[in-house]
């Protein structure tokens, strides 16, 4: 996803400042926009070792308990999803060991 519209960054250049100040301003703006978008997203993703640890726990577990925070939604909620043979089947079909 593109969290930072290019038009907004170009508009910020009109405020002046030297190249170093512009770079700091753009970097700060991009970081703030990305952090805001991530905080408001109902999704979380993991890769690498963290993802492997999560999958290992899921493979030995019986239930996945999840929580959705209501930051950009009406309310928070908690739910459960049974971890059964369908998980193993799906991982195999996706070539995930």
């Amino acid at each position: 996803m593109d969290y930072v519209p290019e038009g907004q960054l170009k508009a910020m250049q009109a405020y002046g400042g030297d190249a170093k100040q512009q770079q700091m301003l753009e970097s700060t703006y991009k970081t703030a926009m990305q952090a805001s978008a991530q905080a408001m997203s109902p999704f979380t993703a993991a890769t690498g070792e963290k993802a492997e640890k999560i999958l290992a726990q899921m493979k030995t577990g019986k239930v996945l308990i999840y929580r959705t925070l209501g930051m950009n939604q009406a309310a928070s909620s908690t739910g459960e999803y049974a971890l059964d043979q369908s998980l193993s089947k799906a991982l195999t079909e996706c070539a995930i060991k």
Side-chain angles (χ1 to χ4, degrees), residues 74-94:
S76 298
S77 64
T78 302
E80 292 185 2
Y81 186 84
L83 298 173
D84 55 22
Q85 286 300 100
S86 64
L87 174 62
S88 296
K89 181 181 177 191
L91 293 173
T92 300
E93 288 176 2
C94 294

Side-chain angles (χ1 to χ4, degrees), residues 33-71:
M33 291 300 292
Q34 185 173 4
S36 297
Q38 288 174 344
M40 293 178 65
S41 174
F43 305 104
T44 301
T47 59
E49 284 185 38
K50 185 173 184 177
E52 290 174 10
K53 287 180 182 179
I54 292 169
L55 281 175
Q57 290 177 350
M58 289 174 67
K59 288 178 191 178
T60 61
K62 302 286 183 207
V63 177
L64 172 70
I65 300 171
Y66 63 89
R67 178 176 52 169
T68 303
L69 299 177
M71 293 182 75

